[in-house]
Each structure stands twice: as C-alpha cells, then as structure tokens.
Amino acid sequence: MSRLWNVAVVGATGAVGAQMIECLEERDFPVGEIRCLASSKSAGQVLEFRGKPVVVGELKHDSFEGVDIALFSAGGDRSREFCPSAAAAGAVCIDNSSAWRMDPDVPLVVPEVNPHAIAQYTKKGIIANPNCSTIQMVVALKPLHDAATIRRIVVSTYQAVSGTGKKAIEELRKQVADLLNGRPVNSTVYPHQIAFNCIPQIDSFEESGYTKEEMKMVNETRKIMEADIRVTATTVRVPVFYGHSESVNIQTERKITVAMARNLLKKAPGVRLVDDPAKGIYPMPSNTAGEDFTCVGRIREDESVENGLNLWVVADNIRKGAATNAVQIAEILVQKYLK
Ligand SMILES: NC(=O)c1ccc[n+]([C@@H]2O[C@H](COP(=O)([O-])OP(=O)(O)OC[C@H]3O[C@@H](n4cnc5c(N)ncnc54)[C@H](OP(=O)(O)O)[C@@H]3O)[C@@H](O)[C@H]2O)c1
C-alpha cells in the first residue's frame, strides 16, 4: 500500500475549510490522520471525514506535531502567525490566504500553469494558493499565452459572496429574505447592501484608487505566469452565492483567432470550453458551481485593437478558486516531492 499522509485543515469550519475536507474525500487523497483546527469557539465541534466523526481542535502553535501537510484557510493573520510553527514541526503548509503569496521565497502555484514552482517549497516550507479570481483567469489564459504571448490583460470580475466566507453567504441570504418581506436590511460584512446590488469594492482601497483585490490580480498573475504582462483589473462583488465570473480582454504579440483560441482551450488542462452562443450556451455561475473546471466562453476577437481577444471565464471560487487548487498542489507534493 502506498504511504498515507497526516493532513491538518486549519479553518476547517469555514467555507473553504469545509470544501477542502470534501475535496480530500472526493479525490481520494491518501490521508492517514486528518486534524481539523479552528478557533477556540469551534473547538469540540464534530465534523465528518469519510463517514467518521472528527473533533475540531483549537489552533495552537503545537497543533502540528506529526502533520505532513497543513492546509491553511483561516485568514492572513493566522497564516502569518502559525505557518512558521507548522513548517518548523515538519509540515508543508499550503496557504489559502494572501499572507505569503508575494514572498519571493514562497512559490505561488496553480498546477495547470506553474507546477514546477512547487519545488521551491523547501525555502520556507510554505506554498501559497493564489487569489480565487487570479486562479481561474490564469488557467484560462495559460494556453493562449503559450501560443501567442499575452502582452496586456484588462479584467473585470463579478465575484460571488462565498469568496468572503460563511458570514457573507449568510448576509446575502438574510438580506434577500428581509427585502422580499419588506424589512430594512442590515449590512455588516460588506460596506453596502449586497442583495440586488453590485459593489465595486473588494477589500480595501490603496492610495492609487485600486483595491487590494485588484492589485492581487495584477501582481499574482505576473508571478504565476512568470511573465512581464501588463494587467489592469476592476473587481466587483455581485449577489451570487457560488461562482466568480470574469470578462477578460487580452492583447497578444501574435494574432490568435477565435477558432485557434477554441482549439487551444478545448485541449487545455482544467478548462471546459462552453461556447456555443447561437444556442445560448456560455458559462454562468449557475452551470459552473460545484465543478472543478474553469469554464470559458463568449470568445470574440476584439476589433478595436490589434491582436485583441475577449473571453468570459467562470469558475467555482470555493473549489478551483481555493480548495481544489490546494488539494491538487498537495497531490503533486506527495507524488513528486515528499518521501
Ligand atoms: N472563500 C473563498 O473563495 C476564498 C478563496 C481563496 C482564499 N480564501 C481565503 O481562505 C481563508 C478562509 O476563507 P473562508 O472563506 O473559508 O472564511 P470563513 O468561512 O469565514 O472561515 C474562516 C475559518 O477560519 C477560522 N478562524 C478564524 N479565526 C480564527 C482563529 N483566531 N484561530 C483559528 N481559526 C480561526 C474559522 O474558525 P471558526 O469557525 O472557529 O471561527 C473558520 O474555520 C481566508 O484567508 C480567505 O482569504 C477564501
């Protein structure tokens, strides 16, 4: 029998953590012991893995004894504080927060795009999982970049509330119910009402006027693609529960026609081409949520510039945008690197 690995899930009671546990199960990851960790208020709560109960423990510095892989999704502060302890105890951390993404000694990995970067995990014992919006965009763009060299990306996002975690899912649900019942709404997670609205602010603003989320898309894309691509982003929160959508405009060095793009995307790993506009077929959160694929459609030449192309890219932000990507990294780690 091949080796089993002890896996800690930090933030196991959250939106991403719960999906990580599900992904480990679905993908039949060779788990020996699973250790579910969260804050003190969840300690003692009982989750389930492969039909067996798992009691949630409180995240502490000594929580990682005997752990081989620690999947972190408990927010940046916890990752900053606890990844080094986990790494010191011998675990390789795969971190979903933004804490380590731009650290030059931490690889930022999307398995379909730069799996070779995983080798760099030895520097700090940490591998960063990119931002959800970045992951789906680079999965769709990598085959086009390899074929025609992308020079510039203009992206606008339509991001689901699950990207903000379980409290945001509850806020949208409650606001919709309140509004339909003629009650006033209360916003605590978002700066404005999210039900029946679009909020052109994700994360806080920087001095430049861009939000941190927008700059994550700019900087992470360049790091993952290992290319000097000019990127500009506008990120918007929309009242959708699961599934981020993106309007992506690219300019390439060499011309890429719609037919070429479709052919490349049809064969691309992790991509599903959903592009038959005459039949009203294109990706939407409603037909993508629950999938691990990044779905691409509405491919059109941008006639306003030379070598321009428009795409519509949708993926499940909790799965490919977070949990699935992390578990895929763990799979490569145990297949190629850990002994
Ligand atoms: N949602 C997404 O699409 C997405 C995508 C990519 C990355 N991420 C990142 O993943 C992380 C988690 O996101 P989420 O959406 O799952 O959030 P969430 O639903 O709010 O869950 C947060 C998790 O963190 C735990 N936690 C909070 N404070 C803690 C503490 N002091 N000590 C230990 N555990 C603590 C929570 O435990 P309790 O239940 O005990 O509070 C819960 O398990 C964030 O860093 C986020 O940026 C999220």
Side-chain angles (χ1 to χ4, degrees):
M1 197 172 101
S2 58
R3 191 183 153 175
L4 299 178
W5 306 90
N6 295 338
V7 179
V9 178
V10 182
T13 52
V16 174
Q19 186 62 61
M20 279 173 165
I21 295 169
E22 219 175 296
C23 282
L24 289 167
E25 228 180 276
E26 275 175 19
R27 298 174 73 93
D28 211 13
F29 190 84
V31 178
E33 182 203 337
I34 189 152
R35 200 168 299 173
C36 291
L37 302 165
S39 76
S40 55
K41 76 175 186 334
S42 299
Q45 199 178 308
V46 181
L47 304 176
E48 207 178 274
F49 182 67
R50 291 184 180 148
K52 293 200 179 113
V54 183
V55 179
V56 176
E58 182 185 350
L59 172 64
K60 292 189 179 146
H61 284 283
D62 62 3
S63 298
F64 298 96
E65 199 72 17
V67 170
D68 299 300
I69 297 173
L71 303 173
F72 272 80
S73 68
D77 290 344
R78 262 68 60 195
S79 296
R80 261 183 291 275
E81 186 178 346
F82 292 94
C83 283
S85 312
V92 180
C93 303
I94 303 175
D95 182 34
N96 263 268
S97 81
S98 58
W100 302 97
R101 289 181 191 150
M102 296 313 293
D103 185 318
D105 291 333
V106 172
L108 182 64
V109 178
V110 177
E112 292 86 347
V113 180
N114 62 338
H116 55 270
I118 292 176
Q120 304 302 313
Y121 83 90
T122 47
K123 291 183 178 164
K124 280 198 166 145
I126 303 171
I127 300 168
N129 215 43
N131 174 263
C132 39
S133 311
T134 310
I135 293 178
Q136 67 184 71
M137 184 171 81
V138 297
V139 168
L141 294 187
K142 169 72 172 160
L144 308 180
H145 181 64
D146 287 346
T149 309
I150 297 172
R151 286 281 173 228
R152 179 167 185 253
I153 302 170
V154 182
V155 54
S156 300
T157 69
Y158 306 71
Q159 297 182 218
V161 294
S162 54
T164 321
K166 58 187 176 185
K167 287 195 183 118
I169 297 171
E170 195 39 47
E171 179 149 308
L172 174 57
R173 218 190 293 276
K174 185 160 187 326
Q175 285 187 355
V176 169
D178 283 343
L179 286 165
L180 294 180
N181 284 288
R183 293 191 291 260
V185 297
N186 184 24
S187 302
T188 55
V189 176
Y190 294 118
H192 303 279
Q193 170 189 321
I194 183 62
F196 308 109
N197 201 10
C198 296
I199 306 175
Q201 176 189 353
I202 298 185
D203 211 329
S204 53
F205 283 102
E206 297 193 345
E207 230 172 76
S208 61
Y210 285 91
T211 60
K212 285 198 174 126
E213 182 84 352
E214 287 159 352
M215 294 319 293
K216 282 177 203 165
M217 291 196 79
V218 172
N219 298 322
E220 293 179 21
T221 299
R222 292 157 63 93
K223 180 167 175 178
I224 300 160
M225 302 273 273
E226 297 167 2
D228 190 22
I229 301 173
R230 285 172 287 160
V231 185
T232 187
T234 303
T235 57
V236 181
R237 188 71 65 191
V238 297
V240 165
F241 284 105
Y242 295 95
H244 289 354
S245 306
E246 299 179 344
S247 161
V248 183
N249 175 273
I250 59 169
Q251 244 190 307
T252 50
E253 205 167 282
R254 296 173 293 285
K255 183 166 177 66
I256 191 162
T257 64
V258 170
M260 281 164 72
R262 283 190 180 145
N263 273 334
L264 290 164
L265 289 164
K266 230 184 262 174
K267 298 181 290 203
V271 173
R272 176 174 289 162
L273 185 69
V274 185
D275 196 23
D276 193 350
K279 293 190 180 142
I281 293 173
Y282 30 72
M284 295 176 285
S286 61
N287 59 18
T288 310
E291 292 244 10
D292 285 328
F293 286 103
T294 293
C295 296
V296 186
R298 299 291 327 275
I299 304 173
R300 291 146 291 153
E301 276 184 41
D302 173 359
E303 290 160 359
S304 71
V305 288
E306 219 181 314
N307 301 346
L309 201 70
N310 283 307
L311 311 115
W312 177 250
V313 180
V314 183
D316 186 322
N317 52 295
I318 298 285
R319 293 185 72 103
K320 183 56 192 164
T324 305
N325 199 73
V327 175
Q328 283 176 302
I329 293 171
E331 286 168 351
I332 300 174
L333 201 58
V334 300
Q335 281 155 17
K336 276 194 78 174
Y337 297 98
L338 297 188
K339 295 216 176 65

